[in-house]
Amino acid sequence: MTKILIVGGVAGGASAAARARRLSEDAEIIMFERGPFVSFANCGLPYHIGGDIQERDKLLLQTPESFLARFNVNVRVMNEVTAINRDAKSVTVTNLLDGSQYSESYDFLLLSPGASPIVPPIEGIDDPLVSPLVHSLRNIPDMDRILSVLQTKQVKHATVVGGGFIGLEMMEAFHQRGINTTLLELSDQVMGPVDREMAGFVHAEIKQKGIDLRLGVGLVGISVSESNTLNLMLSDDSQFETDLLIMAIGVKPENTLAKEAGLTLGATGGIWTSPTLQTSDPAIYAVGDAIEEADFVTGQPTLVPLAGPANRQGRMAANNMLANSDGELETYQGTQGTAICKVFDLAIASTGKNEKQLKRDNIDFEKVYVHTASHASYYPGAETVSLKLLFSPSDGKILGAQAAGKDGVDKRIDVLAVAQRAGMTVDQLQHLELTYAPPYGSAKDVVNQAAFVASNLIKGDLKAIHFDEITNLSDDQILLDVRNPNELTNNGFIKGAINIPVDQLRQRMSELPKDKEIIIYCQVGLRGNVAYRQLVNNGYSAKNLIGGYRTYLFANA
Amino acid sequence: MTKILIVGGVAGGASAAARARRLSEDAEIIMFERGPFVSFANCGLPYHIGGDIQERDKLLLQTPESFLARFNVNVRVMNEVTAINRDAKSVTVTNLLDGSQYSESYDFLLLSPGASPIVPPIEGIDDPLVSPLVHSLRNIPDMDRILSVLQTKQVKHATVVGGGFIGLEMMEAFHQRGINTTLLELSDQVMGPVDREMAGFVHAEIKQKGIDLRLGVGLVGISVSESNTLNLMLSDDSQFETDLLIMAIGVKPENTLAKEAGLTLGATGGIWTSPTLQTSDPAIYAVGDAIEEADFVTGQPTLVPLAGPANRQGRMAANNMLANSDGELETYQGTQGTAICKVFDLAIASTGKNEKQLKRDNIDFEKVYVHTASHASYYPGAETVSLKLLFSPSDGKILGAQAAGKDGVDKRIDVLAVAQRAGMTVDQLQHLELTYAPPYGSAKDVVNQAAFVASNLIKGDLKAIHFDEITNLSDDQILLDVRNPNELTNNGFIKGAINIPVDQLRQRMSELPKDKEIIIYCQVGLRGNVAYRQLVNNGYSAKNLIGGYRTYLFANA
């Protein structure tokens, strides 16, 4: 009879427990959770605070009782595993309700302790008058504490530090409750997984909703005023008062238990695991936010604190713990880091590597931007999907993708996540046959369109210029706007551009000098490509602004 | 200078013309269209009739003038190519406005004539009093004629013959206009691309909206009553009166021109093309609804009258016509037939082969059904996605997929269409990393879930029984419903089942006989699997109803 102990009762741990029982009726399975809840919907917490999810009970997916009834799993909440005795194959457990300690033996141990919020050493943050007003959000008690403040105190202004998933979701939650909200982000963009110019779509949305967005500033000090509000001091020497502060600058793997047990940690601080999800001690598995994973593109170690991988890893660890002794163990196939975040009406999503990472890792890449309707533009409800596709210029392999928009963003990133995982090239993306009817897509989908542009670049049918190069033109270059004059008036234009609408270009081509390079742009890049081909086929030297004026405009938002 | 003639000015032809010009500024490009419009949104026609697309102008994507201005393409509407003179490399054209004939030479000819509605020899259909009230819908004039009837005549009742894409869309359009509508379909299901049991979701939706759906009956005779309504006689000897009749039983490739020119036709009646989209005469290319394509799964010839392939084929044909003489031509990669249709609030979609085709072609397959929330069920707006996945039991390769539901159907079929095209197996599908946040998906997506079940089947961790086998059990089998008693009361149950809720099964297992096979079912298959594993791990012989009661229920709708 196999005895399995599981540390942590949420995504990875709960998945592993349920799967282990399905595989073996006679295994003994004990799941320890130091908090009061197991298997809660941690991704739903901000939405309960904001009011989208009205019933708190909906967040409690399973209880110790339901786990016992369905899966015969012994769930011990408020029980913290404080030490692993690897030689004895046992753990030391503290019952947090009465302080008692006991020991429990194992055949296999699964570590799924998750990650904890990073709280930087900000001046005043440990002040006993300050700390009750400083919150993070990782679990139900965290959520209850925030709700309690909102219910008992008049919160007119809230501040969120950190523009990642939880920071953005909490910002929206406060806004939905009618609270004036400031979002502080130390870097020059929110949503680190996407590149700066794609984050511009989020910045525009956030500002449009009336959020006080402050980029490039850090929180350096906190004090309490007489009226019991917090006074925040920022790195730019400004300060302001706020009633409630959320620290959401990121998480770090919970590695204490593993470290003290002498298990190998990775350079990232995550618990090292083999592809079979075993730690350096083969009787101990580890999954989820606490572990270091292999990046799908580079194979390099990385941290991916996301629910999807945690759930699937838990399932796989159970398979491996209960595999026949002569059976082959399953291996984890690396993590693309596919992620999405709702920011008011906008979705922002990504998969694979972003440009910042590719540059840092010295990986050769090319990129395209397209802005295409989420479905046939003549059918009601179409919204623009703004897509960035990163690919290898040598073999056309997909390196990463990012998208922003109000409809169909999840679908396009999912399509590209599958294509990337399958090792597809941009040439193959051209042939993708995706569902098309006017309410759902277009005969040439956003993804096909991006692949056409990428393929044109690889074949040399198109020469690209990008949004960050277009304002530093040399004397040998001329900037040509091929949109209609009313578009320049209504949408703005890039300084110094001359305007010849694409439909007049054949007639007016002689207005352009043949001894200069023509830098073309239109609204999204499509008409620019038509103009580019006309000019090049007529002997001009030219480049087209990929993604057009729209990419340029939002890159600066 | 290359001279290109294009026959047909809609999807494939228009795409080819625009692409050809981008590739070559000095090619001479003439596009013939026998109708009055080019590049119109044929997929949008039913939605203008129904009122979703209010402005008729939105359907006219390009005009001859706009094509000339932007692409320098000579567009000749109301000009029909009536003969190809292959030796002379010229075509004969009739100007339909004045009846004059002329000839035009070519270097390359592209045939994109589309498909025409099949009108069966029904008694009375050619009666001059009948035919003005009998319509099909392929182009703008067809649409205008239908709208004219609706505007000038009091249409209280309309009848649509044929439950394919256009038939379903026209049914919905009439319903939206407040017209009582009958849908006649000769086979036992609408939406031929999906299997009968998946069409059940559509049948339920159609009936729920008050449509008079009649399956398994054909239209055999039409006559006109004195009040100028049509009297329809059906194959089941019933008859009824209707004010307006739409024939939408399917289309056939427009092959007359190709046939008369001696070009090879396929067994399907479509124009034969090589993978480079050349006909049996290499100077003549053909694309779109008129050609026979290679099926992606079987490689067998097939007809796929869909807009997506037509558009991409047009682009590819242009690339090949204008490729360097020493360059390699692009090849068309086969068609999966990925398709989707909106039916009221429901989407129904498919890709690859369906079970009917696999059986016909003697291809070995296994299948699973899952019914999973389109996004985290605790977040508002989640709808059930009902997914059928067909795969090879030997290597796990995806053979086809079908889905129905009110949210997220297009996304799941797109994901599976990409995975199929990439040659992925169900084992690999388990590892897919798709976008997850509560408003968009689940940590274990519908597709992951289907892959888990499929993988369990392949590994032998699960024995399946299917919806059509569960009512013919032998005396050695026992039917076990593991849902809660209130679910049986509220949702119904399968006759003869005994009920032990899954959470009581461990305690009550002794109530089950060990010498019989336990046939388990729950609502969607998930709890059934938990029960299955319990029973099998306790020495019972068992099978689980894949997709549960929900699959069984809608299969009979």
Side-chain angles (χ1 to χ4, degrees):
Chain A
M1 195 183 83
T2 309
K3 184 171 176 185
I4 296 173
L5 303 185
I6 297 173
V7 177
V10 196
S15 289
R19 178 68 178 174
R21 175 57 69 221
R22 291 201 298 276
L23 295 173
S24 165
E25 192 60 17
D26 59 6
E28 184 180 358
I29 306 171
I30 305 174
M31 186 160 77
F32 301 97
E33 168 56 47
R34 65 179 172 188
F37 301 101
V38 287
S39 201
F40 61 90
N42 42 6
C43 302
L45 304 178
Y47 298 105
H48 181 53
I49 294 174
D52 286 326
I53 300 170
Q54 300 217 337
E55 297 164 54
R56 179 173 177 278
D57 276 0
K58 284 204 171 176
L59 301 174
L60 306 173
L61 308 178
Q62 295 278 357
T63 62
E65 294 70 32
S66 71
F67 247 108
L68 180 66
R70 183 156 305 171
F71 296 111
N72 191 23
V73 170
N74 182 338
V75 177
R76 300 185 188 167
V77 294
M78 300 304 283
N79 275 247
E80 181 171 13
V81 174
T82 51
I84 306 170
N85 320 299
R86 289 167 51 194
D87 293 339
K89 283 186 132 183
S90 74
V91 298
T92 305
V93 188
T94 301
N95 180 331
L96 298 178
L97 295 175
D98 61 13
S100 63
Q101 285 209 341
Y102 61 99
S103 155
E104 197 73 62
S105 68
Y106 64 80
D107 295 307
F108 289 108
L109 174 65
L110 175 67
L111 302 179
S112 179
S116 57
I118 297 171
V119 180
I122 293 167
E123 198 182 320
I125 201 166
D126 295 324
D127 182 322
L129 291 173
V130 168
S131 49
L133 298 173
V134 180
H135 295 265
S136 56
L137 180 65
R138 289 293 291 175
N139 53 41
I140 300 269
D142 289 344
M143 178 186 79
D144 289 344
R145 275 190 293 269
I146 294 168
L147 281 171
S148 159
V149 173
L150 292 169
Q151 280 149 12
T152 57
K153 194 181 157 179
Q154 213 192 352
V155 175
K156 289 187 187 159
H157 184 273
T159 300
V160 177
V161 181
F165 300 102
I166 295 173
L168 291 167
E169 288 164 0
M170 281 309 301
M171 167 199 76
E172 186 170 345
F174 288 136
H175 181 270
Q176 270 184 235
R177 295 182 69 114
I179 298 169
N180 287 324
T181 305
T182 295
L183 179 64
L184 298 179
E185 168 58 53
L186 189 57
S187 81
D188 63 348
Q189 66 163 97
V190 301
M191 268 300 280
V194 305
D195 291 311
R196 172 64 186 81
E197 72 278 17
M198 296 300 288
F201 293 98
V202 186
H203 299 163
E205 178 75 8
I206 290 174
K207 290 180 205 163
Q208 196 264 323
K209 296 289 180 189
I211 300 290
D212 172 30
L213 172 65
R214 304 198 190 183
L215 298 172
V217 284
L219 176 62
V220 295
I222 315 176
S223 60
V224 174
S225 74
E226 286 168 21
S227 58
N228 202 28
T229 60
L230 294 173
N231 188 37
L232 305 184
M233 281 142 284
L234 307 187
S235 57
D236 62 359
D237 291 335
S238 66
Q239 48 182 291
F240 64 90
E241 295 204 345
T242 196
D243 300 308
L244 178 57
L245 178 64
I246 303 285
M247 295 300 295
I249 61 172
V251 295
K252 56 178 193 293
E254 285 268 18
N255 61 15
T256 313
L257 193 61
K259 192 176 179 178
E260 289 176 357
L263 298 176
T264 304
L265 300 185
T268 61
I271 303 170
W272 179 89
T273 55
S274 69
T276 55
L277 298 172
Q278 283 161 299
T279 66
S280 51
D281 180 336
I284 305 178
Y285 285 74
V287 299
D289 295 4
I291 71 167
E292 187 174 90
E293 299 164 28
D295 179 82
F296 182 80
V297 176
T298 63
Q300 295 299 307
T302 181
L303 295 172
V304 183
L306 291 172
N311 275 276
R312 291 192 306 281
Q313 287 164 4
R315 191 176 191 277
M316 186 181 300
N319 288 347
N320 286 350
M321 290 189 286
L322 291 166
N324 293 331
S325 53
D326 56 348
E328 205 179 323
L329 299 187
E330 292 183 26
T331 55
Y332 190 68
Q333 313 274 307
T335 296
Q336 294 164 284
T338 311
I340 190 166
C341 189
K342 174 174 128 51
V343 185
F344 297 110
D345 302 329
L346 197 78
I348 176 88
S350 66
T351 191
K353 306 301 275 184
N354 61 39
E355 185 173 338
K356 292 173 289 191
Q357 295 164 329
L358 293 169
K359 280 180 173 160
R360 190 194 59 203
D361 295 350
N362 279 316
I363 296 173
D364 203 19
F365 70 91
E366 186 48 91
K367 61 180 175 180
V368 297
Y369 303 87
V370 292
H371 307 275
T372 304
S374 57
H375 61 243
S377 52
Y378 55 79
Y379 187 87
E383 300 280 355
T384 301
V385 176
S386 294
L387 178 74
K388 176 179 186 177
L389 179 64
L390 292 149
F391 55 96
S392 162
S394 54
D395 61 12
K397 283 259 170 83
I398 302 161
L399 298 172
Q402 302 162 32
K406 297 183 179 179
D407 181 43
V409 164
D410 52 337
K411 178 163 77 169
R412 273 60 185 216
I413 292 299
D414 280 355
V415 161
L416 288 165
V418 179
Q420 176 177 45
R421 191 162 275 271
M424 277 184 153
T425 64
V426 294
D427 179 57
Q428 291 174 302
L429 286 186
Q430 297 181 86
H431 300 285
L432 289 187
E433 246 187 285
L434 305 174
T435 52
Y436 164 56
Y440 305 104
S442 296
K444 294 171 186 154
D445 187 78
V446 183
V447 176
N448 298 126
Q449 297 271 16
F452 292 154
V453 182
S455 186
N456 284 340
L457 274 184
I458 287 182
K459 284 190 293 186
D461 284 347
L462 172 62
K463 261 194 188 166
I465 189 166
H466 287 295
F467 67 93
D468 51 354
E469 304 164 322
I470 203 155
T471 43
N472 293 312
L473 298 186
S474 74
D475 288 346
D476 294 330
Q477 296 175 309
I478 276 196
L479 192 58
L480 172 66
D481 187 324
V482 296
R483 296 175 300 167
N484 294 323
N486 66 323
E487 296 178 82
L488 281 73
T489 312
N490 297 339
N491 303 340
F493 56 92
I494 301 173
K495 218 181 126 189
I498 59 169
N499 178 220
I500 303 177
V502 63
D503 290 347
Q504 298 173 14
L505 187 57
R506 271 190 194 83
Q507 285 67 46
R508 296 174 57 185
M509 207 171 280
S510 60
E511 296 175 27
L512 297 170
K514 281 226 166 173
D515 60 345
K516 297 202 173 189
E517 185 178 51
I518 318 292
I519 305 297
I520 308 162
Y521 75 93
C522 66
Q523 186 62 23
V524 300
L526 223 51
R527 285 172 291 174
N529 184 44
V530 172
Y532 171 88
R533 297 297 311 166
Q534 272 186 39
L535 288 174
V536 167
N537 287 334
N538 277 293
Y540 285 83
S541 162
K543 280 180 180 156
N544 182 31
L545 176 62
I546 306 299
Y549 187 71
R550 188 177 163 91
T551 295
Y552 167 83
L553 188 68
F554 280 93
N556 297 302
Chain B
M1 197 183 78
T2 310
K3 185 172 176 184
I4 296 173
L5 303 185
I6 298 173
V7 178
V10 196
S15 289
R19 177 68 178 173
R21 176 57 70 221
R22 290 200 299 276
L23 294 174
S24 166
E25 191 60 18
D26 59 5
E28 185 179 358
I29 307 171
I30 305 174
M31 185 161 78
F32 302 96
E33 168 57 48
R34 65 180 172 188
F37 300 100
V38 287
S39 199
F40 61 90
N42 42 6
C43 302
L45 304 177
Y47 299 104
H48 181 54
I49 294 174
D52 285 325
I53 299 170
Q54 300 216 338
E55 296 164 55
R56 178 174 177 278
D57 277 359
K58 283 203 170 179
L59 301 174
L60 306 172
L61 307 178
Q62 296 278 358
T63 62
E65 295 70 31
S66 72
F67 247 109
L68 180 65
R70 183 157 305 173
F71 297 110
N72 191 23
V73 170
N74 183 337
V75 179
R76 300 184 188 168
V77 294
M78 301 304 283
N79 275 248
E80 181 171 12
V81 173
T82 51
I84 305 170
N85 320 299
R86 287 168 53 192
D87 292 340
K89 283 187 127 181
S90 73
V91 297
T92 306
V93 188
T94 301
N95 180 331
L96 299 177
L97 295 175
D98 61 13
S100 64
Q101 282 207 344
Y102 61 99
S103 155
E104 197 73 61
S105 68
Y106 63 82
D107 295 307
F108 289 109
L109 174 64
L110 174 68
L111 301 179
S112 180
S116 58
I118 297 171
V119 180
I122 294 167
E123 199 182 320
I125 201 166
D126 295 324
D127 182 321
L129 291 174
V130 167
S131 49
L133 297 172
V134 180
H135 296 264
S136 55
L137 180 64
R138 288 293 292 175
N139 53 40
I140 300 269
D142 289 345
M143 178 186 79
D144 289 342
R145 276 190 292 269
I146 294 169
L147 281 171
S148 158
V149 173
L150 292 170
Q151 280 149 12
T152 57
K153 193 180 158 180
Q154 211 190 357
V155 176
K156 289 186 187 160
H157 185 274
T159 300
V160 177
V161 181
F165 300 100
I166 295 172
L168 291 167
E169 287 163 0
M170 281 309 300
M171 167 198 76
E172 185 170 344
F174 288 136
H175 181 270
Q176 270 184 234
R177 296 182 69 114
I179 299 168
N180 287 324
T181 304
T182 294
L183 179 64
L184 298 180
E185 167 59 52
L186 189 58
S187 81
D188 63 349
Q189 67 164 95
V190 302
M191 268 301 281
V194 304
D195 291 311
R196 172 65 186 80
E197 74 277 17
M198 295 300 289
F201 294 97
V202 186
H203 299 164
E205 177 76 8
I206 291 174
K207 291 180 204 163
Q208 195 264 323
K209 296 290 180 189
I211 299 291
D212 172 30
L213 172 65
R214 305 198 191 185
L215 298 173
V217 285
L219 176 63
V220 295
I222 316 176
S223 61
V224 174
S225 75
E226 285 170 20
S227 57
N228 201 29
T229 60
L230 293 174
N231 188 34
L232 305 185
M233 279 142 285
L234 307 187
S235 56
D236 61 0
D237 290 337
S238 66
Q239 48 180 290
F240 64 90
E241 295 206 345
T242 197
D243 300 307
L244 178 58
L245 179 64
I246 304 285
M247 295 300 294
I249 62 171
V251 295
K252 56 177 193 292
E254 285 270 19
N255 61 16
T256 313
L257 192 61
K259 192 175 178 178
E260 289 177 359
L263 298 176
T264 304
L265 301 184
T268 61
I271 302 170
W272 178 89
T273 55
S274 70
T276 55
L277 298 172
Q278 282 160 298
T279 66
S280 52
D281 180 336
I284 304 178
Y285 284 76
V287 299
D289 294 4
I291 72 167
E292 187 174 89
E293 300 164 28
D295 179 83
F296 183 80
V297 176
T298 63
Q300 295 300 306
T302 182
L303 295 172
V304 184
L306 291 172
N311 275 276
R312 290 191 307 279
Q313 287 164 4
R315 192 176 190 277
M316 187 182 297
N319 288 346
N320 286 349
M321 289 189 287
L322 291 166
N324 293 329
S325 52
D326 57 347
E328 205 178 323
L329 297 187
E330 292 182 27
T331 55
Y332 189 68
Q333 312 275 309
T335 295
Q336 294 164 284
T338 310
I340 190 166
C341 189
K342 173 174 129 49
V343 185
F344 298 110
D345 302 329
L346 198 77
I348 177 87
S350 65
T351 191
K353 306 300 274 185
N354 60 39
E355 185 173 339
K356 294 174 288 192
Q357 295 164 328
L358 293 169
K359 280 180 172 160
R360 191 194 59 203
D361 294 350
N362 280 317
I363 296 173
D364 202 19
F365 69 92
E366 186 49 271
K367 60 180 175 179
V368 297
Y369 303 87
V370 292
H371 307 275
T372 304
S374 57
H375 61 242
S377 52
Y378 55 78
Y379 188 89
E383 300 280 355
T384 301
V385 177
S386 294
L387 179 74
K388 176 179 187 176
L389 180 64
L390 293 149
F391 56 95
S392 162
S394 53
D395 60 12
K397 283 262 171 83
I398 303 161
L399 298 172
Q402 302 163 33
K406 296 183 179 179
D407 181 43
V409 163
D410 52 338
K411 178 163 78 170
R412 273 60 183 217
I413 292 300
D414 281 354
V415 160
L416 287 165
V418 179
Q420 177 176 45
R421 189 161 277 270
M424 277 184 154
T425 64
V426 295
D427 179 56
Q428 291 174 302
L429 286 186
Q430 298 183 85
H431 298 286
L432 289 186
E433 244 187 285
L434 304 173
T435 51
Y436 164 55
Y440 304 104
S442 296
K444 293 171 187 154
D445 188 78
V446 183
V447 176
N448 298 126
Q449 298 270 16
F452 291 154
V453 183
S455 185
N456 284 340
L457 275 183
I458 288 182
K459 284 190 294 187
D461 285 346
L462 173 62
K463 261 193 188 167
I465 188 165
H466 286 295
F467 67 93
D468 51 353
E469 304 164 319
I470 202 155
T471 43
N472 293 311
L473 299 186
S474 75
D475 288 346
D476 295 329
Q477 295 174 310
I478 275 197
L479 192 57
L480 172 66
D481 187 324
V482 296
R483 295 175 299 167
N484 294 323
N486 66 324
E487 295 179 81
L488 281 73
T489 313
N490 297 339
N491 303 339
F493 57 91
I494 301 173
K495 217 181 126 190
I498 59 169
N499 178 221
I500 303 177
V502 63
D503 290 347
Q504 299 173 14
L505 188 57
R506 272 192 192 82
Q507 284 68 47
R508 297 174 56 185
M509 207 172 280
S510 59
E511 296 175 28
L512 297 170
K514 280 227 166 176
D515 59 345
K516 297 203 173 188
E517 186 179 53
I518 318 293
I519 305 296
I520 308 161
Y521 75 94
C522 65
Q523 186 62 22
V524 300
L526 222 51
R527 284 172 292 174
N529 184 43
V530 172
Y532 172 88
R533 296 299 310 168
Q534 271 185 40
L535 289 174
V536 168
N537 287 334
N538 278 292
Y540 285 84
S541 163
K543 280 180 179 156
N544 183 30
L545 176 62
I546 306 298
Y549 186 72
R550 188 178 162 89
T551 295
Y552 167 82
L553 188 69
F554 280 94
N556 297 300

